[in-house]
Amino acid sequence: MPAQQQFSVPFELSNKDHLHLGCLVDGQSESARSGQTFDIVDPGSGRTWASYPDCDESDVNAAVESAHRAFLNFSKWTPRKRAQCLLRWHTLIVDAREDLARILVHETGKPLKEALGEVDYATTFTWWFVGEAERAHGTTIQSAIAGRRSLTVKQPIGVVAALIPWNFPIALALRKASAAMAAGCTMVMKPSPETPISTISLARLAIQAGFPPGALNVLTTSLKNTPAVAEGLCLHPLVKKVTFTGSTRVGKIIASLCSRSLKKTTLELGGNCPFIVFEDADTEMALDQLAALKWRHAGQACVSANRVYVHRSILEEFVQGLIRTTSLLRVGHGMEDQTTLGPVTTLAGLDKAEELVKDAVGKGAKMLLGTGRRLAGPSDAAGSLESPAGGFFMAPTILTGVTDTMRMSQEEIFAPVLGISVFDTEEEVTARANETSMGLASYVFTKDVNRLWRMFENLEAGMIGLNTGNSSAAEAPFGGIKESGCGKESGKDVAIDEFLITKTGTLTLTES
Ligand SMILES: O=CCCC(=O)O
């Protein structure tokens, strides 16, 4: 059933087509079979501003079959034709940058400047995979047996299901989709309940760019129907690969569902990233990098600094510097010019952040800035911070005296709460940093190049920032180890390989 437009959009768009009601299946805008919808809430105001089709398990098959039909054709396109189409998609997304960023602000709460930054980051993936499309090659193999020749070819794996998180919905949708489509796969995307609109916009632009109908389908769902739709996708026999970004808890469920048919998975899961500042670090640099990393999207990035270890000899200076820079942040709605810290995207996130702070303070941590509680009204802010009512806001909160047994050292915080722990030696901090089941990213600050090299080798994480708080880039492999997941997104060869199979051919010559 075609979907109807029904919005009261609280912001201006340069092109109204960039915001569309309805999921996308076979190039058509569709409602859920049940006719049900769910609401999209602006985390900056707490107000509902749109409703989207609430797909359930009965909607999965049509989307997968359409993607399969499209695959039969699309997988035969030459790599150059795929690259050219990806480039047109890239250009359309760049042209829609401002509108997409405004949509992002109202889905995720992040400040407009960060939302524009996300779109710019996202289009580094479309750009990168335009190049990768033509460079996925097989090999020839010198056989050990006389008269025998061997070779490998790479072929697209088939229909991919992509389960996309709400924290960077445009960047992570494009990191997954541009790699898959460069490889010749088609995709069914399931965005998070908080952020379906930006995903639909991207998919409609893909069809406009010339990808065949069905090459990129989108099913939107409420939180209630998310498990059923995700399960339907993971178990569908025509889905050959599942790529998921989200929590480790859900990642394990996805892995177990996919294991029933030995489906290939890429799992980008939770982090508990240590940020280590040694006594010989450039502290100004470490402070700037920590601020950019930690307050990015109000602490809601999987690679965010979760545990901050500062050497005892520079603790006082470091903490004072942190308070000074953090006090300059302005909390507010993402569309307001002065806002530098937006709301937390979900109420559940706010609840958890409050619990973690309560646990830490109960175990002896000291609160130096903020309140560790949601902002309820104009009088509730710490210091000079404003406290906008209505949205899911928390002032940036800084704690010292954080120990490894506190919940905030053991769980992903995903909120504007920063805890500082003290350490004395390299051996001690390395052991404490590695004392977690997670292994996504770690960060080290020191001027000693030998120590940087040692830490790079000894820290158990998939990505190590050496005097930087930002390792994410289209050209570098992104992904964790341990319970932070498996597989790589972005980077040369490895990311596109996630969507390819390698087929070996062996030829016996009749004459040699
Ligand atoms: O939240 C996870 C992804 C963030 C990034 O790509 O830097």
Side-chain angles (χ1 to χ4, degrees):
M1 197 202 309
Q4 307 292 316
Q5 290 278 31
Q6 37 174 275
F7 280 115
S8 57
V9 183
F11 55 96
E12 293 289 315
L13 286 167
S14 63
N15 180 347
K16 289 204 165 32
D17 283 349
H18 290 150
L19 200 153
H20 195 88
L21 178 71
C23 8
L24 188 74
V25 177
D26 231 26
Q28 302 298 316
S29 182
E30 295 286 349
S31 301
R33 270 162 200 254
S34 65
Q36 298 295 307
T37 58
F38 67 103
D39 291 339
I40 311 302
V41 174
D42 170 8
S45 67
R47 281 197 282 274
T48 295
W49 64 279
S51 302
Y52 264 76
D54 191 4
C55 296
D56 59 27
E57 59 274 30
S58 69
D59 295 289
V60 169
N61 191 50
V64 174
E65 287 199 340
S66 146
H68 179 66
R69 282 192 303 276
F71 177 75
L72 297 179
N73 161 333
F74 182 61
S75 57
K76 301 289 183 299
W77 282 23
T78 62
R80 182 153 305 170
K81 188 170 168 189
R82 291 201 296 266
Q84 286 163 340
C85 200
L86 259 176
L87 185 56
R88 283 196 296 277
W89 192 27
H90 169 85
T91 308
L92 288 171
I93 298 165
V94 170
D95 290 348
R97 175 180 185 262
E98 301 274 340
D99 282 354
L100 289 170
R102 287 193 180 99
I103 292 170
L104 268 184
V105 170
H106 291 84
E107 286 184 316
T108 65
K110 64 182 66 177
L112 184 60
K113 193 163 167 240
E114 280 191 39
L116 288 165
E118 177 175 343
V119 181
D120 294 343
Y121 174 49
T123 47
T124 64
F125 297 117
T126 39
W127 177 256
W128 175 257
F129 286 105
V130 167
E132 285 290 279
E134 289 202 82
R135 295 194 178 98
H137 300 153
T139 51
T140 54
I141 299 154
Q142 198 64 41
S143 177
I145 298 170
R148 176 179 273 199
R149 301 289 183 271
S150 300
L151 71 149
T152 64
V153 290
K154 305 254 183 180
Q155 293 181 330
I157 192 166
V159 175
V160 177
L163 308 171
I164 300 162
W166 49 256
N167 58 346
F168 293 89
I170 292 195
L172 302 194
L174 290 186
R175 188 152 76 190
K176 294 176 190 306
S178 33
M181 293 169 97
C185 296
T186 57
M187 184 171 259
V188 180
M189 288 177 158
K190 198 211 79 63
S192 283
E194 291 78 11
T195 53
I197 309 174
S198 44
T199 312
I200 295 284
S201 308
L202 293 175
R204 289 172 59 85
L205 291 174
I207 301 302
Q208 211 178 310
F211 285 108
L216 197 51
N217 292 331
V218 185
L219 294 178
T220 57
T221 61
S222 64
L223 196 56
K224 176 167 84 59
N225 282 330
T226 285
V229 171
E231 179 169 326
L233 289 167
C234 291
L235 296 182
H236 199 293
L238 289 176
V239 171
K240 301 298 177 196
K241 154 104 197 182
V242 176
T243 170
F244 168 73
T245 299
S247 70
T248 294
R249 183 187 68 79
V250 175
K252 287 179 182 177
I253 299 172
I254 303 285
S256 119
L257 291 169
C258 290
S259 73
R260 293 196 208 166
S261 56
L262 297 183
K263 235 164 237 162
K264 198 168 161 180
T265 52
T266 301
L267 301 172
E268 298 296 348
L269 308 180
N272 180 1
C273 308
F275 188 103
I276 303 168
V277 188
F278 282 99
E279 65 279 22
D280 62 348
D282 177 335
T283 41
E284 283 307 310
M285 176 200 251
L287 280 168
D288 285 353
Q289 294 290 307
L290 179 58
L293 176 66
K294 183 68 204 186
W295 308 127
R296 175 187 183 205
H297 193 9
Q300 301 171 104
C302 53
V303 290
S304 193
N306 211 61
R307 295 171 290 153
V308 179
Y309 294 104
V310 180
H311 191 268
R312 192 179 298 280
S313 63
I314 55 163
L315 183 67
E316 194 50 41
E317 171 203 356
F318 194 83
V319 169
Q320 289 315 316
L322 199 56
I323 291 173
R324 200 174 51 247
T325 53
T326 307
S327 304
L328 300 175
L329 291 174
R330 283 288 165 267
V331 180
H333 193 285
M335 291 305 287
E336 282 159 18
D337 282 347
Q338 72 277 21
T339 296
T340 44
L341 192 90
V344 172
T345 304
T346 68
L347 271 175
L350 213 44
D351 291 343
K352 180 171 175 191
E354 285 182 332
E355 279 173 29
L356 294 184
V357 173
K358 200 166 157 213
D359 171 80
V361 171
K363 290 176 181 157
K366 202 163 152 226
M367 193 144 30
L368 297 188
L369 191 74
T371 62
R373 290 196 311 277
R374 68 198 68 203
L375 296 178
S379 61
D380 200 4
S384 62
L385 290 170
E386 292 160 23
S387 59
F392 311 152
F393 293 97
M394 179 180 267
T397 296
I398 297 180
L399 301 158
T400 51
V402 171
T403 62
D404 300 351
T405 56
M406 294 174 183
R407 278 183 61 194
M408 64 181 291
S409 301
Q410 297 176 349
E411 298 173 34
E412 218 172 1
I413 301 171
F414 241 60
V417 175
L418 189 158
I420 297 181
S421 306
V422 66
F423 76 93
D424 291 297
T425 67
E426 181 180 322
E427 292 68 29
E428 172 210 335
V429 78
T430 307
R432 289 170 69 191
N434 289 340
E435 188 56 41
T436 165
S437 58
M438 302 295 166
L440 188 58
S442 298
Y443 307 91
V444 186
F445 287 78
T446 169
K447 287 189 192 137
D448 179 343
V449 73
N450 295 309
R451 175 180 270 164
L452 276 177
W453 194 253
R454 278 196 303 277
M455 295 301 285
F456 178 55
E457 292 184 352
N458 292 338
L459 285 169
E460 295 171 0
M463 296 169 283
I464 316 286
L466 304 166
N467 286 332
T468 177
N470 182 1
S471 314
S472 309
E475 61 279 15
F478 184 104
I481 58 170
K482 296 163 78 177
E483 292 192 16
S484 289
C486 56
K488 294 289 178 190
E489 293 188 312
S490 72
K492 185 170 160 318
D493 303 332
V494 284
I496 194 163
D497 258 354
E498 298 276 328
F499 299 97
L500 294 166
I501 56 158
T502 301
K503 194 180 271 181
T504 303
T506 307
L507 169 74
T508 302
L509 299 174
T510 50
E511 293 170 10
S512 48

